[in-house]
Amino acid sequence: MQRGWALSEEPADPHPDDIRATTGRRRAGPAGRRPVQDRPVHTARTALTLGAAEIVGKLSMLVLTVGAARMLGVADFGAFSYALAVGMLAAVLPMWGYDAVVIQRASAESTRLRALLAELLAMRTLLVVLAFAVVGALTGLTSLSGRQGAAAGLLIVAAVLMDTYTEAYRSAAAVLERQGMMAIVHLMQRLLTAGAALAALFGDTGLTGLAVAFLAGTLVGPLTAAVLTRRTGVAPDWHAVSRASLVRLNRGTWIIGVASLVLMVLFRIDTVMIAWFVDDRAVGIYAAAYRLLETTLFVGFVAARVLFPLMASTPEPKRVQHYTELGISMMAAVYVPYATLLWCRGHGVLRILFGTQFADEGTGMLAWLAPAPLFFGMSYLASFSVVAAGPTLRALYSSLVALVVNLGLNLALIPRYGGLAAAFTTTLSYAVYAAALILLGRTRMGTPRLPRVLLPAVAASALACAPLLAPLPLAPALLGAAALYVACWLLVTQRTDPHQVQVLRRMLRRRRLT
């Protein structure tokens, strides 16, 4: 089995005939089974396409966040960040692992995709209504700024819940290997949302105007995704939805759902607890530092979206280990140098983006949060690797271990140390979660060779520290660090895993030819 970017040098398996019933383009085959194609250059280009769209989308949301922090003030920015956190926690209920189950089942039996998509959308609608009703009933706990703040908060929560429909269509696109289409939808949605929100901010409409614009921009995503998915020939088969089919959809999802809930608790509960135990201002400072973590998490999402269908189609342990190592390698190439940048120049980055006040009080938090993206990405990918062959209690046990660590340390430390404690606990919890998944999931995903996978990024980042620590302005320091990092990463990777470099060269060569 080849490693790294080189997924396989053998020709991909043909698609079965009965895919014609799903896409109108592919041929049928026995029993409706279609292993997801295993093509190294195609997979790498898909990852880069998704990554490019995510980068632009995240940058647009970063601009929105910076604008909100500077124009709303620390307290209202804290209220906005708190409402987002509550919305993300509420969205766990309608998500509940259904997307992973649909990808896993449809990747193995593609003729079920239309029925599974309809069941997913029906179940999601029921749970979105329930989640919003619960949050609405608890507005006293989910607002920070009185009646107006509660109304704005509910609009933001509604926007986050609506975004779960876009994720449903992402699942179908992953099975169809049409993720580039959904990357365009995601990019358009983010750009429109950021543009509408910034217009509201410049119009001095305050927190309520920002919330209305945020909801309006978000709704573009699921509506556009529904139209484009239907045009591929994959319209939801509503006739397949019944009580029995929804019961089958839910069978086994509780394990993935609880694990997803834990991951979201690890992701957002720190902001909620700071609001409870400290104040709005502390939430605003922490949210600014946290945004620099959150902006890069798309790398982990992209890795999982690209690799999980390949794992689920043939979930043999060696194959799953191969893709897990590939995903960690992809993430380390981005996250390790990014953590190095934040350690060396975190104060300057915060000052440029958010201002001196945020930089002076948030640099310590940012230092503790710097390794969190890597640990988050590893835990996120490993949670998919463990369930590639179906739900398992190992994922649940791992999530519970991380949950106990997170809640215990947050309750003990946040009242005294505030955002610093939250940052430390977040990073440690993700590390514990990743370690537990790898240890408990060995029989399903093998044992990833972490030293070998992480070595290129760690060695190259160590070399890149020199210009970052030198007394240079930020821009030339970044250019010098980037040049050293890329050269060293290529050199070390050529020695440890030459297939990665070979596939990257092939991909770039094809792009030049086209």
Side-chain angles (χ1 to χ4, degrees), residues 461-477:
S461 297
L463 185 63
C465 282
L468 291 175
L469 294 175
L472 297 172
L474 182 60

PDB file of all heavy atoms in Angstrom, residues 461-477:
ATOM      1  N   SER A 461       9.101  23.708  10.123  1.00  0.00           N
ATOM      2  CA  SER A 461       8.650  24.809  10.977  1.00  0.00           C
ATOM      3  C   SER A 461       9.752  25.274  11.919  1.00  0.00           C
ATOM      4  O   SER A 461       9.871  26.481  12.198  1.00  0.00           O
ATOM      5  CB  SER A 461       7.415  24.382  11.783  1.00  0.00           C
ATOM      6  OG  SER A 461       6.337  24.086  10.926  1.00  0.00           O
ATOM      7  N   ALA A 462      10.546  24.343  12.407  1.00  0.00           N
ATOM      8  CA  ALA A 462      11.663  24.718  13.280  1.00  0.00           C
ATOM      9  C   ALA A 462      12.638  25.626  12.530  1.00  0.00           C
ATOM     10  O   ALA A 462      13.138  26.619  13.079  1.00  0.00           O
ATOM     11  CB  ALA A 462      12.360  23.464  13.788  1.00  0.00           C
ATOM     12  N   LEU A 463      12.892  25.300  11.276  1.00  0.00           N
ATOM     13  CA  LEU A 463      13.796  26.131  10.482  1.00  0.00           C
ATOM     14  C   LEU A 463      13.166  27.494  10.200  1.00  0.00           C
ATOM     15  O   LEU A 463      13.852  28.521  10.178  1.00  0.00           O
ATOM     16  CB  LEU A 463      14.107  25.407   9.166  1.00  0.00           C
ATOM     17  CG  LEU A 463      15.145  26.086   8.252  1.00  0.00           C
ATOM     18  CD1 LEU A 463      16.502  26.153   8.943  1.00  0.00           C
ATOM     19  CD2 LEU A 463      15.261  25.317   6.940  1.00  0.00           C
ATOM     20  N   ALA A 464      11.848  27.517  10.024  1.00  0.00           N
ATOM     21  CA  ALA A 464      11.166  28.766   9.697  1.00  0.00           C
ATOM     22  C   ALA A 464      11.084  29.723  10.873  1.00  0.00           C
ATOM     23  O   ALA A 464      10.711  30.891  10.700  1.00  0.00           O
ATOM     24  CB  ALA A 464       9.758  28.466   9.181  1.00  0.00           C
ATOM     25  N   CYS A 465      11.416  29.248  12.060  1.00  0.00           N
ATOM     26  CA  CYS A 465      11.385  30.127  13.237  1.00  0.00           C
ATOM     27  C   CYS A 465      12.384  31.278  13.130  1.00  0.00           C
ATOM     28  O   CYS A 465      12.149  32.358  13.695  1.00  0.00           O
ATOM     29  CB  CYS A 465      11.690  29.332  14.510  1.00  0.00           C
ATOM     30  SG  CYS A 465      10.310  28.358  15.121  1.00  0.00           S
ATOM     31  N   ALA A 466      13.491  31.031  12.423  1.00  0.00           N
ATOM     32  CA  ALA A 466      14.566  32.027  12.396  1.00  0.00           C
ATOM     33  C   ALA A 466      14.087  33.396  11.907  1.00  0.00           C
ATOM     34  O   ALA A 466      14.251  34.402  12.617  1.00  0.00           O
ATOM     35  CB  ALA A 466      15.734  31.509  11.548  1.00  0.00           C
ATOM     36  N   PRO A 467      13.478  33.508  10.728  1.00  0.00           N
ATOM     37  CA  PRO A 467      13.027  34.837  10.309  1.00  0.00           C
ATOM     38  C   PRO A 467      11.865  35.375  11.146  1.00  0.00           C
ATOM     39  O   PRO A 467      11.714  36.592  11.298  1.00  0.00           O
ATOM     40  CB  PRO A 467      12.592  34.628   8.851  1.00  0.00           C
ATOM     41  CG  PRO A 467      12.386  33.172   8.707  1.00  0.00           C
ATOM     42  CD  PRO A 467      13.317  32.509   9.653  1.00  0.00           C
ATOM     43  N   LEU A 468      11.044  34.480  11.707  1.00  0.00           N
ATOM     44  CA  LEU A 468       9.923  34.937  12.521  1.00  0.00           C
ATOM     45  C   LEU A 468      10.400  35.563  13.831  1.00  0.00           C
ATOM     46  O   LEU A 468       9.780  36.506  14.347  1.00  0.00           O
ATOM     47  CB  LEU A 468       8.961  33.780  12.815  1.00  0.00           C
ATOM     48  CG  LEU A 468       8.172  33.238  11.627  1.00  0.00           C
ATOM     49  CD1 LEU A 468       7.363  32.015  12.047  1.00  0.00           C
ATOM     50  CD2 LEU A 468       7.248  34.315  11.048  1.00  0.00           C
ATOM     51  N   LEU A 469      11.493  35.057  14.376  1.00  0.00           N
ATOM     52  CA  LEU A 469      12.024  35.584  15.631  1.00  0.00           C
ATOM     53  C   LEU A 469      12.993  36.739  15.410  1.00  0.00           C
ATOM     54  O   LEU A 469      13.364  37.431  16.364  1.00  0.00           O
ATOM     55  CB  LEU A 469      12.725  34.467  16.407  1.00  0.00           C
ATOM     56  CG  LEU A 469      11.822  33.339  16.916  1.00  0.00           C
ATOM     57  CD1 LEU A 469      12.653  32.233  17.548  1.00  0.00           C
ATOM     58  CD2 LEU A 469      10.791  33.869  17.914  1.00  0.00           C
ATOM     59  N   ALA A 470      13.399  36.948  14.170  1.00  0.00           N
ATOM     60  CA  ALA A 470      14.315  38.048  13.878  1.00  0.00           C
ATOM     61  C   ALA A 470      13.584  39.392  13.998  1.00  0.00           C
ATOM     62  O   ALA A 470      12.368  39.460  13.848  1.00  0.00           O
ATOM     63  CB  ALA A 470      14.883  37.881  12.463  1.00  0.00           C
ATOM     64  N   PRO A 471      14.329  40.471  14.281  1.00  0.00           N
ATOM     65  CA  PRO A 471      13.696  41.801  14.419  1.00  0.00           C
ATOM     66  C   PRO A 471      13.331  42.400  13.062  1.00  0.00           C
ATOM     67  O   PRO A 471      13.881  43.418  12.629  1.00  0.00           O
ATOM     68  CB  PRO A 471      14.784  42.618  15.119  1.00  0.00           C
ATOM     69  CG  PRO A 471      16.072  41.977  14.713  1.00  0.00           C
ATOM     70  CD  PRO A 471      15.778  40.513  14.592  1.00  0.00           C
ATOM     71  N   LEU A 472      12.404  41.744  12.375  1.00  0.00           N
ATOM     72  CA  LEU A 472      11.954  42.170  11.054  1.00  0.00           C
ATOM     73  C   LEU A 472      10.483  42.525  11.110  1.00  0.00           C
ATOM     74  O   LEU A 472       9.736  41.990  11.932  1.00  0.00           O
ATOM     75  CB  LEU A 472      12.155  41.042  10.035  1.00  0.00           C
ATOM     76  CG  LEU A 472      13.588  40.562   9.766  1.00  0.00           C
ATOM     77  CD1 LEU A 472      13.556  39.314   8.897  1.00  0.00           C
ATOM     78  CD2 LEU A 472      14.391  41.670   9.094  1.00  0.00           C
ATOM     79  N   PRO A 473      10.013  43.414  10.230  1.00  0.00           N
ATOM     80  CA  PRO A 473       8.563  43.620  10.115  1.00  0.00           C
ATOM     81  C   PRO A 473       7.862  42.318   9.756  1.00  0.00           C
ATOM     82  O   PRO A 473       8.475  41.378   9.226  1.00  0.00           O
ATOM     83  CB  PRO A 473       8.447  44.666   8.996  1.00  0.00           C
ATOM     84  CG  PRO A 473       9.772  45.344   8.970  1.00  0.00           C
ATOM     85  CD  PRO A 473      10.787  44.306   9.350  1.00  0.00           C
ATOM     86  N   LEU A 474       6.573  42.259  10.008  1.00  0.00           N
ATOM     87  CA  LEU A 474       5.836  41.000   9.848  1.00  0.00           C
ATOM     88  C   LEU A 474       5.865  40.488   8.412  1.00  0.00           C
ATOM     89  O   LEU A 474       6.079  39.292   8.185  1.00  0.00           O
ATOM     90  CB  LEU A 474       4.383  41.191  10.314  1.00  0.00           C
ATOM     91  CG  LEU A 474       3.499  39.943  10.251  1.00  0.00           C
ATOM     92  CD1 LEU A 474       4.067  38.843  11.139  1.00  0.00           C
ATOM     93  CD2 LEU A 474       2.073  40.283  10.661  1.00  0.00           C
ATOM     94  N   ALA A 475       5.672  41.356   7.424  1.00  0.00           N
ATOM     95  CA  ALA A 475       5.587  40.899   6.035  1.00  0.00           C
ATOM     96  C   ALA A 475       6.875  40.224   5.555  1.00  0.00           C
ATOM     97  O   ALA A 475       6.835  39.089   5.059  1.00  0.00           O
ATOM     98  CB  ALA A 475       5.198  42.051   5.119  1.00  0.00           C
ATOM     99  N   PRO A 476       8.061  40.863   5.668  1.00  0.00           N
ATOM    100  CA  PRO A 476       9.274  40.170   5.224  1.00  0.00           C
ATOM    101  C   PRO A 476       9.586  38.935   6.060  1.00  0.00           C
ATOM    102  O   PRO A 476      10.142  37.957   5.544  1.00  0.00           O
ATOM    103  CB  PRO A 476      10.365  41.234   5.363  1.00  0.00           C
ATOM    104  CG  PRO A 476       9.810  42.279   6.249  1.00  0.00           C
ATOM    105  CD  PRO A 476       8.345  42.256   6.049  1.00  0.00           C
ATOM    106  N   ALA A 477       9.236  38.972   7.345  1.00  0.00           N
ATOM    107  CA  ALA A 477       9.463  37.787   8.172  1.00  0.00           C
ATOM    108  C   ALA A 477       8.625  36.615   7.669  1.00  0.00           C
ATOM    109  O   ALA A 477       9.096  35.470   7.605  1.00  0.00           O
ATOM    110  CB  ALA A 477       9.129  38.092   9.629  1.00  0.00           C
TER     111      ALA A 477
END
